[in-house]
Structures are given as C-alpha cells and as structure tokens.
Amino acid sequence: MSRNSRVLPSFQSIRSMPGDFRFADVPASDPLEKSDVGNLGNIDVISSCIPENGDLGYTAVEGTVGNMDQVIEDSPYSGNVISVEDRTSMGDEELDIVPSHLPSISASRSERRWCDTTTYAAKKKLQSWIQLPNGNWELGKILSTSSSETVISLPDGKVLNVKTESLVPANPDILDGVDDLMQLSYLNEPSVLYNLHYRYNHDMIYTKAGPVLVAINPFKKVPLYRNDYIEAYKRKSIESPHVYAITDTAIREMRRDEVNQSIIISGESGAGKTETAKIAMQYLAALGGGSGIEYEILKTNPILEAFGNAKTLRNDNSSRFGKLIEIHFSETGKISGANIQTFLLEKSRVVQCTEGERSYHIFYQLCAGAPSALREKLNLKSADEYKYLRQSNCYSISGVNDAEQFRIVVEALDVVHISKEDQQSVFAMLAAVLWLGDISFSVIDNENHVEAVTDEGLYNVAKLIGCDAGELKLALSTRKMRVGNDTIVQKLTLSQAMDTRDALAKSIYACLFEWLVEQINKSLAVGKRRTGRSISILDIYGFESFDRNSFEQFCINYANERLQQHFNRHLFKLEQEEYIQDGIDWARVDFEDNQDCLSLFEKKPLGLLSLLDEESTFPNGTDLTFANKLKQHLSSNSCFRGERGKAFSVCHYAGEVTYDTTGFLEKNRDLLHLDSIQLLSSCSCHLPQIFASSMLTQSEKSVVGPLYKSGGADSQKLSVATKFKSQLFLLMQRLESTTPHFIRCIKPNNHQSPGLYEQGLVLQQLRCCGVLEVVRISRSGFPTRMSHQKFSRRYGFLLLENVASQDPLSVSVAILHQFNILPEMYQVGYTKLFFRTGQIGMLEDTRNRTLHGILRVQSCFRGHQARCYLKELRRGIVTLQSFVRSDKTRKEYAVLLQKHRAAVVIQKRMKAMTARKKLKNIRDASILIQSVIRGWMVRRCSGDIGLLKSGGIKANESDEVLVKSSFLAELQRRVLKAEAALREKEEENDILHQRLQQYESRWSEYELKMKSMEEVWQKQMRSLQSSLSIAKKSLAVDDSERNSDASVNASDDRDYSSDIGSNHRSVESNGLRPMSAGLSVISRLAEEFEQRSQVFGDDAKFLVEVKSGQVEASLNPDRELRRLKQMFEGWKKDYGARLRETKVILHKLGNEDGTVAKRKWWGRRNSSRIN
C-alpha cells in the first residue's frame, strides 16, 4: 500500500451520484495516478472471485496494511494476503520519468511489446535496455544522448550508437528480484525477463503476476517443499509467492465463501505442470488431512504417472493424458474423498515411438522390477527384446531407477486397495500388450494374404489373456463380415493384419488405463457425498509444436485453445465487462482474443472437427482427401493456411503449428473390429471380459453419420475428436462454476538443464500466457471490488454515527466519508464499490483492530463470568469431595481392618507350619545322628567283643558272658525293628508287584535288550545266594553240634549240686540266645536281597519303556540307566561286605560258645573225677 493511504488524507466531497455516479475530480481516462507508482511500499496482491447477484465477479484485494497481529478468518481477504518487504520509495528523479497514464494496447504485437515505454529523448536515465541482433536484451549504460541517437555502453565493454526511440527504460536496482511484477515501475518485456531471470538464478522460481503465479521449472531439486514450509504458509508466517500460497488461498476461499475452487495449471510440455500439481496436492493433504484418505490421494500420482506418462524429446516425464483431480472436503474442512477424470490418452504411443522417446513408463518398470516368480509367470524378457519398445532405441532415463519405481507403483496399488489378484491381472495385460508386438505374419498366397505365425509370441498372448491360440490366430488373420444373412470370412493383407494387431494392443492398454482410474475412484469415493465443496486441480497437456505434428498434437492444442479462452475470459473479458456493466470509468485494454481460432475448430458444418468427422464416415476417405477438403473450405479463414501435400497450418494463440494429416482419419475412427471384441469376451481372464463389455457398451451409443463399413462393427461409433470435444465442454462447464486460480508454468530451456535461461523461449511463453496484460489490467484498474450490501454489512459497525438512511449505498458512502478515502482511489458502481490497489487494506486493518478490541472486552467479561462460576463450582466440588473422601476412607478402613485380621490368622498358621516343619527337620536330623552313633557304637562293641575274646584268660568268664549278652540283646532289638520295616516294604512290594504285572505284556519287547544285563546280575545273585546258603548250612551244623553237646553236658551233670546246675542252665540259655539272633540277621539279609532285586528289576523295566516311548517322563533314560547300574554295583559291594562281616561275627560267636561249653564240660568231668 502506498504511503499516501497510510496517512488519512482530507476527504473531498462527492459532487455527483448515480446515474453515472462519477466523481468530478477523477479524469475519465486516468487509470493510474502518480501516487500509485511514486511510492512503492507494502503492496499486497490478492485475487478472489465473489459471486454477487448471479454475476461471477473477479475481486482482487491489494494493500493489507497496518500492524495486523492476526488475520481474521472471516475476512474475505485473509486467505489472500501476499505481502512483500517494504521497499525504499523512489526519488524525485525517478518519479520524473513515470508516465502519467498507460496507453491502450493495440492489436499489433510489435506495438504491444513496448506498452510501458515513452520517448526516451526527454528522459535523463542512466540505464536502459537494448535489443541485440540475436533477439536477446542487454542492459546498457547511457554515455550520451541527442535528439535522435544515444551512445550506450554494454557490460562487455562494447559501445553502440543506437536510435533513442529503440531504447527501453530499465527499472532501478532496488526493484531487482521483486516477487510481484506489479511492483515494477516499467512493465516491459525486458524488465519482466530480467526480473524472472534474477529470481531464477537465486532459486526463487515463483513470481506473482497480479492474480497469476508464474512458476519456472528449475530442472533440479530446490529446498522449498519441506514440512516447515507447509507449516509456515499455513500460519501465514511466509507470504512469498509459492504453489502453497495459491493452494492456501483456494482452501481458505472455499471455506469462507462456500464456493468450489479450481487450480488451473498450464504451460508447455516440460514446464513442470505435473510436479506443480503434485505439490498442490501435497499442501491440500497437509491442511485437510486426518481422515487417512489424503495418503491414498497422494499415492495415485505414482500409478497415473507410470501408466500415463512417458519420456519425450522435450520432457522425461511428459503427461500423455489430461487429468482433473476433484478433491472433496467435509464440513470440518477435512478431505473426505476425491474423483479423477482423464482425457485423451495417447494410445498410439503403445505401438509406435519416435527415436529417442519411450513408451509408457510402466512397461520398462515391469521389465526391470518384476520379481522372478512374476517374470516366470508372464515369460517376461528385457525391454530391448520387445518390438514395441526397441523401435525407439531408448530404454532408460538418466537418474531414474525403473526397478525402484516399479516397487513404488506396487506399493501404491496396495494403498488404493487394488487386490493382489487384480494386480497380477494388470501385469498380465501389460505383458500381453508387449507380446502382441512380437507376433509376426507370413504370406500364404499370391494375393498377399497372411496368417499369424504360431510362435512364442502368439502362445504367450493367448496364455496371458486366457483365450485359445487358434482363435487368436484367426482373429488376427481374418475378418468376418455380414452380407445379408450370410457371414463372409475375409483374409487380411499384411498391413491390415498388423493394423488389427496394433488396434487390439492399443485397445487393451486404453481399457486397462480406464479400468485403473475407475478402481482408484472407487477407493477414493469414501465420504464424498457428505459435502459439495471441492477443489479441482487441472493438470493437462501443454501446447505442443514438433517437427511433425499429428492427430494427438491437434487435439492437445485445441484443448489449450479452450483453456486459454477460459483464462482470457476470467482475466480480461470479465474484468473489463464488469467495469462497463457497473458504469464506472475505465480505459479499455485490448488483448488478443483466440475466438477466431476456436471457431476454426468448432464451427459447424465447416470447422476442422466437423470436416474431420465427416471425412471419417466416408468409406473411401483418405488423409489426402481430408487435407484437400480443408484447403477447399477453410482457405478464407485467417487462422488457417493450407500447405503442400497432406499438411495444413493453424495459427494458435501460442504460434503457428503445421499438422501432417497422415493417420488423422484412422486415429479419429479408432477402429477395433467385432472379431477382436468377441475374442476378448471369450477369454477366461476377467479383465479382457470387462474390456469387451465396455467396448460393446460404447458401440451402442448413437452414431452421427453412416457406418464406416457396412459389414463391420466398430468398438466406438463416436469419433475420438467428437468424444474429446464433449469431454472438453464438460470440463469447461465445471471450471466455469468454480473460482479459478491460475498457475503458469514456464520452461526456461529446451535442454532440461538447470541454470540455463533462454530469453527467447521464456518471452514466447510469457506472450502466450498474456502475463504482461494481466499485470497491466490489475495494476491500472480497480482490482478490489465489493457489493454495496457486503461492504455495508462488513464495515457498517465501524460507523461512529448512525446514518439516516439504512440502505447499503448510504452506509457505504458514510463509511468512505468517515475514513477520508480519496475519491480518485475508488469508484462507486451500480452494484459494487471498486477500489484501487491497497485501499481496502486500511478498512480491513481498522476492522481487525476493532474486532480485536471487541473480542478483548468479550474475553475479559467472559473470563470474569467463568472465574465466578469456577469459584462456585470449586466450593461445591470441595464439599462433595469431602463427603466422598470420608465415605471412601471409611470403606477403605473397613477393608484394611478385615485384611489385618486375615493377615494375623495367616501369620499364625504360617508360623505354626514353619515351627512344625522345623521340628520335623530337627527330629529327622536327631534320628539320623542317633542311627549313625548307634551304628558306630555297634561296630565299636563288635570290636570290643574281639578284644574280650583275646583277653578272656585274664577276665572273669561270667562277666564276659553278661557283656556279650547285652550287646546281642540290643542287636536283636534292632533286628526286630528292621523286620517291622521290612514288612512295610513288603506291602509296598505288593503294590509294585501289581504294577509289574501291568507292564509284563510290554516287557517281552525289551527282554532281549535286558537279557545280557540280567545274566550278569543272575550270576552275581547266584554267587550271593551260594554264599548265603553256605552261611546258613554252616550255622545249622554249628547249631546241631551245640545241641548235642548240650545234651551230653546235661547227662553228665545230673549228679552235680543244685548251684552248679543252676549256673549251668543260665550259661546254656545265654549261649542259645545269640544263635537265634544270628538266624534273624540272616533272614533279614535274605529279605533285603529279595527286595533289592525286585526294585532294581522294576526300575530297569521302567527306563526301557521310557526309552521306547511307551511311557512319557521328563528324564534321560540312558543317564538314569547308568546311574541305576552304578547304584546296583554299590549296593552289591556293600551287601557282600555286610554278608561276609555277619558270617565272620556269627562264626566267631559260635566257636566261642562251643569252646566255653567244652571247657566247662571238661572242667566238670575233671573236677568230678578229682572228687
């Protein structure tokens, strides 16, 4: 906004009101005052369409000024503010050369170039632009000037003498690199070129041109698209030109005005339209994300680029189809769905590529990135082995990994919910298209009729689409025609057969592309019906002009003519017509209209499209007859010029293009014979059946004109041109119902080289885009406009006094009076107020400050209310909490008391159990110690018995017998105790014996394994048994001898005295008692032997069953068997030692008893003899 508008000037009264409603002090043709250009301050440019009373108005808001702390969301300009840094105002010398007005632009292009120049002789400028012979502009320094000639010095040191009128004034250095072309003091072609070049060299690829964003393709990665940039534009902390800024404006206007928006991205092929569309979608996904569908929308880009983009001579990723992505938003501003519409896929690229170009990316990605299993299933080869792909001798793109891109495409197909089975079918169709190109034909007769060769290609195609190889061969080599009620089979020539093969390949690929788009739309249609608000992003092919231009370029350039007219309509026609309709003063700006060129295409019945459709319906029509018909009927049109042969030229808005009509009729008919459709419908795979059904549905549409051939059936009765024209008209209707936002993409060079800036190429594109005219209209006119009703409703509350008349016009005029806005800075129309650049910003700033104050008062009052309510609520809550907490505490105490009592009981039980367990352990330990001590004592006493025997001569014989008897009694008591334990073991043995009977049936299987071990054990047992039997026999003999001796002694001692007899009986009884104890020991050893043998046998059988798997147990049978063997060996040794020890002790006792008895007997007999 200029400095003049920041200081409120004195108001000049309005002298007249409607009808004309013109201010007396405003010249009728003074569109630009010096105050507008003399002070370059904070100039903010916005474009916004505000529908009012059915009119589609174009509103541009410029000059949001003041220290705005925050942009009110309700403001119609809040989403559109794009400010630049304050710049120092120009000096008096610079103001001296500012032209007082801008002349009207004539139709002459040479005059229109220098629309912002004046005669330079009267100016004292130090720098100026001069055009060199090669057409480029160079900035030179003026050394001297005269009335007609000027001496100028170039940067390279050359000095030229040129005519003064050929110089073009240059802008001061302070304006170098401004981000809005409206800020340039001199708006001429070299200044615009220099400003764009300056920003391009500093990686500032975006520049505003009024309401249009100019984007120059950098051909490299620039750091402008990180997440921090998205957040910055979202918070409005960055206001420099950017795709994000345009997209943010669109989404804010959609939410504010509840009007659908559109972002129209245009430019030549290779200018960066596809990448710009992806960047806009990225920002929309970031702002409207949250539902998850935005990720699916972004993932459609790799799919559509793989199947619809290809490498051309001018662009490595050229879109060979048009695309309109309509993104729907919910009431909360979140993305709820999307819909994709495509236009005119270049099907001919499938079967034919120019040298140095490539077919569609997906073919090369499939050949390079398919996994081995898929390659084997599809019989894939490398890309250079397929005929369709090797004809251009280009198989890769520098810096692009096709295998990695294939992985990304597969991942994207998963994201958009295309099943793995459908993905396999898609890849099979792609492979079938490649193999179709490898099908060859052989001549079978003299009339050049052919049939398909039965080779690898034919079999692979039949296998992939699921048809019979013979039927495929027949469909490619013959054609059925109906003549009356008869069917005639016609053989095809080589060219006809190849055309049939190529038509089938193109139709399969085109139907596959349409099917993919349909599946994507089904996936993205979630929640779309919940709202009618949307933002459409149009990414369509740019204007194309090659050395040889065919039918595709013809349709593409026609579409660009339509888009250019839409651009002109919104930025030129509607702008100026609205001024005229609203009755304000306006100096009309002429611009180049392309309606004549559109009429050349669309006029009926003698337009290009009409004549093309007419010639396509004639059976004998050829490309040459079509070219001659055009020359015959259209030679008088200024935009048409006939060329030699089959060529003709059309003067488009972007320049003249020469078209070669070769192939026009065939491509426009787009024939696919009924035989091929029936072949697809008979396939076992579901995709070819869907394709055939779709083509049959299209063939049922109404037909304009006769059939191409009476006996044929075409897959598409509507011509391609007619179909494309209807799609284009629907597209224009949709765009007309939206608020447009324009992005013009510029290609800086044809070599796709970063840093290279070709002035001629850029200037041509700027002329085609009409950028200079757009800036000129926006700067010299009234870009900000608002209806009386909306203006009074928006700013009426700012009035300090009530207006007598409350009609919107009176309120609006009162507002203008109150704020002292200069009359030359606005005009009042019949229905709207029109403001120059920056004037509405002061009102917006005042409104925002007032609203901020109101909000501050409201916030304070509501805060007071909230605090009072909070105090009341807090008191209630504290009281309630006290009751709740007391009740809770009581309940918790009761539970705690119950738990305490339970804990005491548990502790008592646990302590008792621990005490009992401790007592049991002490008792078991005491018993163990006692047993050890007692055993030790027995063994020691046994040793004492031996010592007593050796010292028997010295001791008393009766005492010796008593000591020995006491030890034998203790031994007998222990034997009895062992016998009781033995009986318990016998009971356990009975139980184990029952278990043994259960496993006897299984023992037979493992008897052989244990036989060797048992034989060893039996030998050892027999040895032990023999030792035991010998011990028993020896004991029995000793006993019998003792009995006989006792009887002899009894007969000999009858005559002894009673004392001697009594003593003798006592000794005899004591001698018999150890004998019975010895028998008990022997019996105990025998029982132990039986018990141990039984236990070892059972354990051995159990381990064998575990090892064989009959019984499950968590142990290692081999290790346990070794341990059992070791135990048996240890027991055997111990048992043998005890048996020998017992035998020795008993033998000693027996010998001692016999010796004593004999000695006593002999003593008695000797004593009796002596007496």
Side-chain angles (χ1 to χ4, degrees):
M1 180 177 175
S2 65
R3 190 171 299 169
N4 294 349
S5 60
R6 295 182 185 177
V7 180
L8 298 180
S10 60
F11 175 75
Q12 298 183 10
S13 61
I14 302 175
R15 297 185 180 180
S16 62
M17 298 294 280
D20 296 335
F21 206 89
R22 179 177 301 134
F23 293 99
D25 294 340
V26 180
S29 60
D30 191 8
L32 184 62
E33 294 293 329
K34 289 186 178 181
S35 59
D36 283 323
V37 296
N39 201 342
L40 296 176
N42 228 355
I43 301 179
D44 304 329
V45 183
I46 284 323
S47 67
S48 155
C49 288
I50 304 177
E52 190 69 41
N53 300 330
D55 297 334
L56 188 61
Y58 198 93
T59 303
V61 180
E62 304 183 4
T64 301
V65 297
N67 298 324
M68 293 178 60
D69 298 330
Q70 180 180 355
V71 179
I72 302 300
E73 192 70 29
D74 185 50
S75 170
Y77 315 103
S78 60
N80 306 326
V81 180
I82 302 175
S83 66
V84 297
E85 298 177 357
D86 291 341
R87 306 188 187 276
T88 306
S89 61
M90 295 161 50
D92 296 337
E93 184 182 13
E94 294 170 357
L95 286 175
D96 192 32
I97 52 86
V98 176
S100 60
H101 63 86
L102 292 176
S104 299
I105 303 174
S106 65
S108 172
R109 180 169 296 179
S110 60
E111 294 180 4
R112 192 169 63 250
R113 289 184 187 178
W114 322 128
C115 56
D116 220 7
T117 65
T118 57
T119 304
Y120 196 75
K123 310 302 176 183
K124 297 180 180 179
K125 193 69 177 175
L126 297 180
Q127 287 185 331
S128 181
W129 293 104
I130 182 174
Q131 190 171 23
L132 301 179
N134 60 5
N136 291 336
W137 291 93
E138 193 75 42
L139 184 63
K141 184 177 181 180
I142 297 177
L143 300 179
S144 63
T145 182
S146 62
S147 59
S148 61
E149 292 185 350
T150 299
V151 179
I152 189 169
S153 174
L154 300 181
D156 57 2
K158 293 182 180 180
V159 178
L160 301 177
N161 191 1
V162 297
K163 292 183 179 180
T164 302
E165 61 183 12
S166 65
L167 297 179
V168 179
N171 290 285
D173 295 340
I174 195 173
L175 296 180
D176 288 349
V178 293
D179 56 8
D180 195 335
L181 298 180
M182 289 183 63
Q183 301 175 32
L184 296 177
S185 297
Y186 296 101
L187 188 64
N188 46 54
E189 289 182 351
S191 296
V192 171
L193 285 174
Y194 175 75
N195 191 75
L196 294 177
H197 191 187
Y198 182 92
R199 293 179 60 81
Y200 180 72
N201 287 338
H202 291 80
D203 287 339
M204 295 182 288
I205 62 175
Y206 297 112
T207 305
K208 287 288 289 183
V212 179
L213 178 68
V214 178
I216 303 181
N217 192 344
F219 293 117
K220 65 178 182 179
K221 292 183 179 181
V222 290
L224 298 176
Y225 311 106
R226 300 189 302 267
N227 291 332
D228 54 343
Y229 275 84
I230 295 178
E231 289 299 323
Y233 280 96
K234 182 179 178 180
R235 297 191 307 267
K236 306 295 291 182
S237 59
I238 298 181
E239 296 178 344
S240 58
H242 201 288
V243 178
Y244 291 164
I246 293 292
T247 311
D248 186 80
T249 299
I251 196 170
R252 289 178 185 271
E253 289 186 7
M254 180 197 69
R255 293 171 179 172
R256 183 193 68 209
D257 302 332
E258 296 186 356
V259 176
N260 293 340
Q261 308 288 310
S262 61
I263 300 175
I264 302 174
I265 305 171
S266 59
E268 289 191 8
S269 177
K273 299 184 300 299
T274 301
E275 290 299 320
T276 302
K278 288 161 63 176
I279 294 168
M281 292 171 61
Q282 176 190 4
Y283 189 80
L284 287 178
L287 260 66
S291 61
I293 197 171
E294 69 278 359
Y295 182 67
E296 296 182 29
I297 295 175
L298 293 178
K299 281 297 182 181
T300 60
N301 290 321
I303 301 174
L304 296 178
E305 286 186 16
F307 286 85
N309 289 24
K311 180 186 183 301
T312 64
L313 295 176
R314 296 188 177 185
N315 188 3
D316 288 344
N317 190 32
S318 176
S319 297
R320 309 317 299 165
F321 70 106
K323 174 177 64 177
L324 177 70
I325 301 179
E326 188 176 9
I327 302 176
H328 296 264
F329 291 81
S330 64
E331 295 177 355
T332 59
K334 300 298 182 182
I335 295 176
S336 60
N339 184 72
I340 299 176
Q341 183 180 356
T342 59
F343 312 95
L344 193 65
L345 178 70
E346 187 183 7
K347 295 190 291 185
S348 61
R349 185 169 290 272
V350 176
V351 299
Q352 184 178 4
C353 290
T354 307
E355 183 76 19
E357 296 188 352
R358 293 205 319 176
S359 185
Y360 291 103
H361 294 326
I362 188 63
F363 291 121
Y364 305 91
Q365 294 171 1
L366 178 65
C367 293
S372 57
L374 182 61
R375 297 183 69 88
E376 184 177 354
K377 180 180 178 181
L378 304 181
N379 293 326
L380 280 178
K381 301 185 294 185
S382 60
D384 56 358
E385 297 182 60
Y386 289 106
K387 179 182 176 182
Y388 280 163
L389 303 183
R390 67 170 177 260
Q391 55 187 332
S392 65
N393 292 324
C394 181
Y395 309 104
S396 62
I397 301 176
S398 177
V400 177
N401 187 344
D402 288 324
E404 177 64 18
Q405 292 301 315
F406 181 77
R407 185 193 64 78
I408 295 175
V409 170
V410 173
E411 178 184 346
L413 291 173
D414 292 334
V415 172
V416 297
H417 309 296
I418 295 180
S419 64
K420 290 295 183 182
E421 180 182 356
D422 285 342
Q423 292 181 29
Q424 296 291 325
S425 300
V426 168
F427 299 145
M429 293 302 102
L430 295 174
V433 170
L434 293 178
W435 281 110
L436 269 172
D438 287 353
I439 294 179
S440 56
F441 300 92
S442 60
V443 180
I444 58 175
D445 55 25
N446 295 330
E447 298 181 0
N448 202 26
H449 292 152
V450 297
E451 67 176 4
V453 177
T454 306
D455 56 3
E456 181 184 17
L458 185 71
Y459 281 116
N460 284 331
V461 173
K463 174 186 174 183
L464 292 171
I465 66 176
C467 71
D468 182 69
E471 294 180 357
L472 176 62
K473 180 178 180 180
L474 193 64
L476 296 178
S477 306
T478 61
R479 179 176 299 170
K480 295 179 182 179
M481 301 179 63
R482 292 186 62 83
V483 179
N485 295 328
D486 298 331
T487 301
I488 300 176
V489 178
Q490 176 185 1
K491 296 181 180 179
L492 302 180
T493 62
L494 179 60
S495 60
Q496 291 174 337
M498 294 179 66
D499 290 342
T500 301
R501 177 198 65 188
D502 293 344
L504 179 60
K506 292 188 293 185
S507 298
I508 290 176
Y509 190 82
C511 291
L512 177 63
F513 184 78
E514 292 176 359
W515 179 85
L516 273 175
V517 174
E518 181 181 354
Q519 299 304 309
I520 292 173
N521 286 335
K522 290 179 180 179
S523 174
L524 301 182
V526 180
K528 185 182 67 174
R529 298 180 181 178
R530 291 182 293 183
T531 177
R533 291 180 293 176
S534 65
I535 295 179
S536 301
I537 300 176
L538 178 63
D539 172 19
I540 199 165
Y541 16 62
F543 185 84
E544 292 186 349
S545 177
F546 302 117
D547 294 336
R548 182 183 180 277
N549 300 286
S550 186
F551 179 74
E552 290 78 15
Q553 284 71 42
F554 178 79
C555 295
I556 288 172
N557 293 340
Y558 165 55
N560 278 272
E561 288 287 351
R562 264 289 164 197
L563 290 175
Q564 182 64 23
Q565 188 191 50
H566 178 72
F567 179 77
N568 292 340
R569 173 178 174 79
H570 281 276
L571 296 185
F572 298 113
K573 288 185 178 179
L574 296 182
E575 182 90 11
Q576 300 186 57
E577 288 174 3
E578 187 174 6
Y579 292 158
I580 297 173
Q581 291 174 2
D582 238 67
I584 68 171
D585 291 332
W586 166 250
R588 184 177 182 85
V589 176
D590 296 330
F591 61 90
E592 186 174 359
D593 193 1
N594 65 337
Q595 184 59 48
D596 293 341
C597 186
L598 281 174
S599 299
L600 173 65
F601 276 87
E602 299 171 353
K603 186 178 179 179
K604 293 182 179 181
L606 297 178
L608 289 173
L609 298 177
S610 300
L611 293 176
L612 177 61
D613 285 342
E614 177 183 328
E615 193 68 17
S616 298
T617 58
F618 292 153
N620 298 324
T622 63
D623 298 328
L624 182 59
T625 59
F626 169 62
N628 293 333
K629 181 176 290 188
L630 294 181
K631 298 172 187 176
Q632 177 183 355
H633 294 286
L634 302 177
S635 297
S636 59
N637 194 298
S638 60
C639 295
F640 178 87
R641 187 175 79 249
E643 303 289 345
R644 297 180 59 182
K646 300 179 181 181
F648 67 93
S649 297
V650 175
C651 185
H652 291 280
Y653 75 95
E656 187 174 273
V657 180
T658 300
Y659 298 99
D660 185 356
T661 59
T662 302
F664 261 57
L665 298 184
E666 190 68 24
K667 293 177 181 179
N668 188 47
R669 293 164 181 159
D670 193 26
L671 298 177
L672 183 66
H673 202 268
L674 186 60
D675 294 349
S676 299
I677 302 177
Q678 292 176 347
L679 175 69
L680 294 178
S681 63
S682 65
C683 293
S684 59
C685 297
H686 69 285
L687 280 185
Q689 295 176 2
I690 295 175
F691 299 162
S693 175
S694 174
M695 287 185 281
L696 289 175
T697 302
Q698 292 180 4
S699 67
E700 295 174 359
K701 295 179 181 179
S702 59
V703 184
V704 180
L707 289 176
Y708 171 51
K709 290 187 178 180
S710 59
D714 302 335
S715 66
Q716 179 176 311
K717 296 303 191 299
L718 290 177
S719 68
V720 173
T722 302
K723 189 177 178 182
F724 179 65
K725 179 181 176 181
S726 62
Q727 286 182 333
L728 198 57
F729 271 77
L730 292 176
L731 173 64
M732 291 299 109
Q733 290 178 3
R734 177 179 297 182
L735 295 179
E736 289 288 346
S737 64
T738 64
T739 300
H741 304 269
F742 295 97
I743 301 178
R744 290 295 195 181
C745 297
I746 303 295
K747 181 170 62 174
N749 60 81
N750 285 322
H751 307 288
Q752 303 180 29
S753 176
L756 181 59
Y757 187 88
E758 297 179 0
Q759 288 188 9
L761 180 62
V762 174
L763 182 59
Q764 179 188 2
Q765 296 174 75
L766 291 176
R767 289 172 179 171
C768 295
C769 297
V771 170
L772 299 180
E773 285 79 359
V774 170
V775 177
R776 192 167 295 111
I777 288 179
S778 299
R779 193 171 73 170
S780 61
F782 299 88
T784 306
R785 66 207 68 179
M786 195 178 298
S787 65
H788 300 157
Q789 294 83 359
K790 191 167 186 177
F791 186 84
S792 61
R793 184 171 61 251
R794 185 167 185 80
Y795 305 108
F797 71 95
L798 299 177
L799 285 175
L800 301 179
E801 299 178 357
N802 292 330
V803 182
S805 176
Q806 294 296 325
D807 64 283
L809 179 59
S810 300
V811 174
S812 301
V813 172
I815 295 171
L816 297 175
H817 276 253
Q818 178 175 314
F819 286 94
N820 296 330
I821 298 179
L822 293 176
E824 61 268 21
M825 303 310 295
Y826 70 92
Q827 288 198 31
V828 181
Y830 300 129
T831 60
K832 296 179 183 179
L833 292 172
F834 294 81
F835 296 89
R836 291 199 185 275
T837 301
Q839 297 308 305
I840 204 68
M842 180 180 58
L843 293 176
E844 271 299 300
D845 184 48
T846 305
R847 179 180 182 272
N848 291 339
R849 288 198 304 269
T850 306
L851 288 178
H852 290 163
I854 294 173
L855 291 176
R856 183 63 179 169
V857 173
Q858 289 178 346
S859 65
C860 292
F861 179 72
R862 289 171 181 169
H864 172 71
Q865 282 186 324
R867 284 188 292 273
C868 293
Y869 175 73
L870 178 62
K871 289 179 181 179
E872 246 181 84
L873 188 64
R874 182 179 295 170
R875 284 195 296 269
I877 290 174
V878 169
T879 304
L880 182 62
Q881 284 178 345
S882 64
F883 285 110
V884 172
R885 287 170 179 168
S886 61
D887 182 68
K888 182 179 178 182
T889 303
R890 285 190 291 271
K891 291 181 179 179
E892 289 178 352
Y893 177 74
V895 173
L896 183 62
L897 184 61
Q898 185 178 1
K899 289 182 179 180
H900 176 71
R901 292 173 180 172
V904 170
V905 174
I906 293 173
Q907 286 178 354
K908 182 176 68 176
R909 298 289 178 87
M910 289 298 296
K911 289 177 180 179
M913 184 179 68
T914 304
R916 285 193 295 270
K917 189 173 181 181
K918 184 177 181 181
L919 179 62
K920 183 177 180 298
N921 292 337
I922 294 174
R923 181 174 174 274
D924 293 342
S926 300
I927 292 173
L928 179 61
I929 293 172
Q930 288 176 356
S931 64
V932 172
I933 293 175
R934 288 169 182 171
W936 174 77
M937 291 176 65
V938 169
R939 287 190 292 275
R940 191 185 66 177
C941 291
S942 300
D944 292 341
I945 292 173
L947 293 175
L948 290 173
K949 178 181 178 182
S950 61
I953 301 173
K954 299 178 181 179
N956 188 280
E957 292 180 357
S958 60
D959 294 339
E960 179 184 355
V961 171
L962 290 175
V963 174
K964 181 174 66 176
S965 298
S966 65
F967 280 106
L968 291 175
E970 179 66 18
L971 182 62
Q972 186 177 8
R973 185 180 65 79
R974 293 185 181 181
V975 168
L976 292 176
K977 185 177 180 181
E979 288 177 351
L982 182 62
R983 283 191 297 272
E984 293 178 359
K985 295 298 182 179
E986 286 177 351
E987 293 176 358
E988 294 178 1
N989 191 28
D990 293 338
I991 297 174
L992 294 175
H993 186 68
Q994 292 177 3
R995 289 178 58 191
L996 178 62
Q997 290 178 354
Q998 295 176 1
Y999 293 108
E1000 281 179 353
S1001 59
R1002 303 177 186 175
W1003 173 252
S1004 58
E1005 299 178 5
Y1006 306 100
E1007 187 175 2
L1008 295 177
K1009 298 180 181 180
M1010 297 298 296
K1011 187 173 181 181
S1012 59
M1013 186 180 295
E1014 287 179 356
E1015 289 175 356
V1016 175
W1017 288 355
Q1018 287 174 3
K1019 289 179 182 180
Q1020 296 173 352
M1021 293 300 177
R1022 282 195 296 271
S1023 174
L1024 294 175
Q1025 286 176 355
S1026 61
S1027 300
L1028 186 60
S1029 60
I1030 292 172
K1032 286 183 179 182
K1033 288 179 182 180
S1034 174
L1035 187 60
V1037 171
D1038 293 339
D1039 190 21
S1040 62
E1041 290 178 354
R1042 281 192 293 270
N1043 289 335
S1044 61
D1045 291 339
S1047 61
V1048 172
N1049 292 335
S1051 63
D1052 289 339
D1053 293 339
R1054 288 191 186 104
D1055 54 350
Y1056 287 169
S1057 62
S1058 59
D1059 293 334
I1060 298 172
S1062 62
N1063 292 333
H1064 172 73
R1065 282 190 299 271
S1066 176
V1067 172
E1068 186 179 7
S1069 63
N1070 290 333
L1072 292 173
R1073 200 170 288 162
M1075 297 299 108
S1076 60
L1079 291 175
S1080 298
V1081 172
I1082 297 301
S1083 300
R1084 179 175 174 274
L1085 291 175
E1087 291 297 333
E1088 181 183 357
F1089 173 78
E1090 293 296 334
Q1091 179 184 353
R1092 286 289 185 171
S1093 62
Q1094 185 66 35
V1095 170
F1096 282 125
D1098 292 343
D1099 290 345
K1101 290 180 180 179
F1102 175 72
L1103 292 176
V1104 171
E1105 291 175 355
V1106 171
K1107 188 172 183 180
S1108 63
Q1110 296 180 358
V1111 178
E1112 294 183 359
S1114 58
L1115 50 83
N1116 189 344
D1118 294 332
R1119 186 174 64 251
E1120 294 296 328
L1121 188 61
R1122 288 193 298 270
R1123 191 174 62 85
L1124 181 62
K1125 185 175 180 182
Q1126 293 174 358
M1127 290 174 59
F1128 174 75
E1129 293 294 339
W1131 172 80
K1132 183 182 69 172
K1133 292 179 181 180
D1134 180 65
Y1135 184 79
R1138 284 189 286 126
L1139 186 61
R1140 286 190 297 271
E1141 182 181 354
T1142 304
K1143 182 178 178 181
V1144 171
I1145 293 173
L1146 293 178
H1147 184 67
K1148 289 180 180 180
L1149 292 175
N1151 291 339
E1152 291 174 356
D1153 292 342
T1155 304
V1156 171
K1158 287 180 180 180
R1159 288 177 60 190
K1160 289 186 177 183
W1161 176 70
W1162 285 108
R1164 286 196 303 271
R1165 292 191 64 176
N1166 292 334
S1167 62
S1168 63
R1169 289 174 182 174
I1170 293 171
N1171 294 330

